[in-house]
Amino acid sequence: MSINPLAVTLNEVLVKQAPAIASMLSDLGRELYYPKGILTQTAEAKQKASRFNATIGIALEDGRPMALPPVLKQISGLSADEALNYAPSFGQPALRVAWRDRILAQTPSLTGKPWSMPLVTSGITHGLSLAADLFVDRGDTLLLPDQLWGNYRMIFATRRGAVIHEYPFYTHDGGFNVDGLADLLEAGPNDAKFVLVLNFPNNPTGYS
């Protein structure tokens, strides 16, 4: 199957700007792209359309989304525009900027380094599924601690065909078993692709 030209362009940009990330993509990850359809047109219309925006049908009243007052009373701290309009696929831009600023404030070492805006997902399972689609091919080695959330097996092994290898999570004194993880890495073949999932606070132990 041929790759869509939009995906080809995205891959070329990644190879130039983030070759390490480009090399880690799964076959599916290299084929994914964001279609320039109604959602892209809607985003452009919000920025550029000063008179009319006919990209998405929504009932308006006095220029604002039509809503029942009893419904709006149950929505705390949000206007009708914020609560009832279609949300962008990747999340509200202002929220993503604020989230990125918070990450920078908490991790100053990221300042000046290239990295993407955070994406809003439907929850941790959705986020992990996206990561699995982007980076995991059938037969890839997935490294997990023996204390793990069972859904990892469904997301990475059942859906994407990864081969799971586990290492003891705890050391004898109750700390994180860095040496056990290193041993598992060293025991694998040199040409293997390893995918490491670290989850803190750990589910199910709560260790952080």
Side-chain angles (χ1 to χ4, degrees):
M1 184 181 70
S2 61
I3 298 180
N4 186 281
L6 291 174
V8 173
T9 300
L10 289 173
N11 287 329
E12 291 172 350
V13 171
L14 268 178
V15 168
K16 290 179 181 178
Q17 298 188 6
I21 298 297
S23 70
M24 289 189 286
L25 288 177
S26 65
D27 290 340
L28 175 61
R30 292 184 180 90
E31 295 178 6
L32 294 177
Y33 62 94
Y34 193 73
K36 291 185 177 180
I38 187 67
L39 295 176
T40 301
Q41 295 164 7
T42 301
E44 292 175 348
K46 286 181 178 179
Q47 295 176 352
K48 301 175 182 178
S50 57
R51 295 185 62 190
F52 302 108
N53 179 0
T55 57
I56 291 184
I58 184 170
L60 300 178
E61 187 174 32
D62 298 326
R64 307 181 77 86
M66 187 180 293
L68 296 172
V71 173
L72 287 180
K73 286 182 180 179
Q74 306 304 314
I75 302 173
S76 176
L78 295 175
S79 67
D81 283 329
E82 294 170 321
L84 303 177
N85 260 326
Y86 286 90
S89 296
F90 304 117
Q92 295 288 356
L95 170 61
R96 296 173 66 199
V97 170
W99 187 3
R100 190 177 195 273
D101 291 345
R102 181 176 177 83
I103 293 173
L104 281 173
Q106 294 177 331
T107 316
S109 60
L110 291 173
T111 302
K113 296 179 180 179
W115 56 296
S116 69
M117 293 285 286
L119 298 181
V120 177
T121 69
S122 300
I124 189 169
T125 301
H126 180 212
L128 289 168
S129 295
L130 290 175
D133 287 344
L134 284 171
F135 299 111
V136 179
D137 282 314
R138 180 167 298 278
D140 284 347
T141 300
L142 182 70
L143 306 182
L144 291 173
D146 57 2
Q147 301 296 317
L148 60 93
W149 183 38
N151 216 16
Y152 283 154
R153 292 191 176 92
M154 180 71 71
I155 293 169
F156 292 98
T158 303
R159 285 187 70 249
R160 299 297 300 153
V163 179
I164 294 177
H165 292 264
E166 297 179 12
Y167 59 93
F169 182 74
Y170 284 117
T171 60
H172 293 301
D173 59 2
F176 177 63
N177 188 10
V178 177
D179 290 338
L181 171 57
D183 291 342
L184 192 59
L185 279 168
E186 291 174 359
N190 292 330
D191 59 347
K193 177 181 176 182
F194 293 101
V195 178
L196 172 63
V197 177
L198 293 174
N199 172 32
F200 296 108
N202 173 263
N203 185 348
T205 69
Y207 176 90
S208 182

